[in-house]
Amino acid sequence: MQDGRSGLTGARAVVVGGGTMGADVAVVLLRGGLQVTVIERHAERREGLINHVAERLAPLDLGHCIAELDAVAALGDAVWPEVGLVIECIPEQLPLKQALFAELLTLAPPGCLLTSNSSSFPISAIAAGLETQPRMFGLHFFMPAHLVPLVEVVLGPQSDAAGAELLSEVMRGCGMVPVLVRKDKPGFLANRLQHALAREAFALIDEGVATAEDVDAAVRFGFGFRFLAAGPVLQRDHAGLDVHCAAAATMYPSLSNTDRPAVALRERVEQGRLGMKTGGGFFDWPPEKRLAERKRYDDLLRQGLALLADELPPYRAQAKDQT
């Protein structure tokens, strides 16, 4: 059947994996007025899921949507005839993902859209050899998924274009800003742009041109500040394409084009300094400092969302409440 809230063949979405990403994706889907089942085999994580999601819905005045969420231990526990969308959020191991989608072949209804949140594996690799390839897509969220509005809808070579448009419509109903990535390239769209910037940033640190602190300040309080108002293409129309073209001709020959991660990055990985999760990366992160930084970061993201509110799609669940 066609569901008026989502445009899907079923009113329920299944999120496979209830870790940080999967739990926040559930928040996004509930904002869109969908019923959501999260598959999470770890009991402790599963039991904490409802509170985690409820805390994120409350500031949006959508606390009542928690009634549409359930968490179960196994794929077989979902009500599959009602499912119109599956989002995979399991660990980044290709064999695990391939095995999951092979199992979904026997569980998900024929009209169900099957998606992966993988940030590293192309959907074509996950879908290889499966007859479900036309309805398989990358659906790449950014952490924290409930605060960063972008989502990438990635088409593989066999993905159906109409399915991608439907998926984009559903994401807009969840308050997200979907971008279509029409070719299944490594890193998709946003991560390719992000890594191009990071390569130059770390190269400048390696060369002693600037410290990590000054690199971050240059982005946050310089050109990055403007990105809230205009992306790199629109920004060039503001500034003048002739100015950009002349600057590019001067700078491009000296930009980093290395095919290896920077020394500053490799050394820290080899030392086990992986960032907040190990207590240190480029900066030191004792527990109290880490918690304060997470709060500062999330608070600023929320303020950014408030600034962009007029340009973001409304939540379908909220619109439904007002009718």
Side-chain angles (χ1 to χ4, degrees):
M1 67 178 179
Q2 193 78 359
D3 179 76
R5 289 175 297 172
S6 65
L8 296 174
T9 54
R12 181 172 295 277
V14 165
V15 178
V16 186
T20 300
M21 180 60 82
D24 288 345
V25 167
V27 176
V28 171
L29 296 171
L30 290 166
R31 293 187 324 211
L34 289 164
Q35 299 170 340
V36 181
T37 296
V38 177
I39 313 290
E40 175 51 58
R41 62 189 182 91
H42 295 289
E44 183 177 353
R45 188 180 290 168
R46 190 170 63 250
E47 290 163 5
L49 187 71
I50 302 296
N51 285 340
H52 176 97
V53 173
E55 288 174 0
R56 282 155 173 72
L57 289 172
L60 308 175
D61 294 325
L62 293 175
H64 61 280
C65 291
I66 199 68
E68 304 295 338
L69 173 69
D70 66 333
V72 298
L75 285 172
D77 296 331
V79 186
W80 285 103
E82 299 178 1
V83 176
L85 171 64
V86 175
I87 304 176
E88 169 267 305
C89 296
I90 66 176
E92 288 289 273
Q93 299 176 35
L94 183 58
L96 284 181
K97 294 178 186 290
Q98 291 172 326
L100 169 63
F101 281 92
E103 190 171 357
L104 291 174
L105 183 64
T106 65
L107 292 171
C112 179
L113 300 176
L114 306 174
T115 72
S116 172
N117 181 54
S118 176
S119 59
S120 55
F121 297 116
I123 194 62
S124 54
I126 297 171
L130 295 178
E131 63 185 62
T132 49
Q133 289 182 62
R135 54 191 174 104
M136 290 181 66
F137 304 88
L139 190 64
H140 183 226
F141 297 83
F142 295 82
M143 293 182 67
H146 67 299
L147 294 180
V148 180
L150 184 73
V151 62
E152 295 176 308
V153 178
V154 187
L155 284 78
Q158 305 301 320
S159 299
D160 176 60
E165 291 292 347
L166 174 57
L167 197 51
S168 296
E169 176 193 332
V170 173
M171 288 297 102
R172 279 190 286 270
C174 296
M176 302 296 286
V177 177
V179 292
L180 276 180
V181 184
R182 294 168 173 83
K183 293 187 177 181
D184 200 11
K185 294 175 71 71
F188 318 132
L189 173 58
N191 271 344
R192 290 183 73 87
L193 295 169
Q194 184 172 239
H195 275 268
L197 168 61
R199 178 167 65 179
E200 185 63 26
F202 292 127
L204 291 169
I205 293 171
D206 275 357
E207 292 174 33
V209 174
T211 64
E213 291 87 349
D214 284 343
V215 165
D216 280 355
V219 175
R220 290 190 61 219
F221 302 109
F223 66 90
F225 180 77
R226 301 184 309 199
F227 281 165
L228 195 64
V233 180
L234 177 57
Q235 182 60 46
R236 295 315 177 206
D237 266 7
H238 276 273
L241 299 185
D242 54 332
V243 175
H244 172 70
C245 193
T250 300
M251 281 187 288
Y252 281 17
S254 66
L255 291 177
S256 174
N257 65 355
T258 180
D259 60 0
R260 299 186 64 202
V263 173
L265 193 58
R266 294 200 311 270
E267 285 181 346
R268 284 167 175 79
V269 171
E270 290 164 3
Q271 294 163 5
R273 290 182 61 86
L274 308 181
M276 290 185 181
K277 62 185 177 182
T278 59
F282 279 92
F283 311 101
D284 292 324
W285 297 109
E288 66 281 359
K289 184 180 177 184
R290 183 175 68 247
L291 290 173
E293 170 57 20
R294 290 287 194 194
K295 182 180 185 306
R296 183 198 70 85
Y297 182 80
D298 285 1
D299 286 348
L300 278 174
L301 290 180
R302 289 188 180 92
Q303 291 175 51
L305 282 174
L307 289 172
L308 291 171
D310 290 342
E311 300 183 40
L312 296 175
Y315 305 141
R316 197 182 303 268
Q318 214 160 40
K320 182 188 175 190
D321 292 342
Q322 293 168 357
T323 59

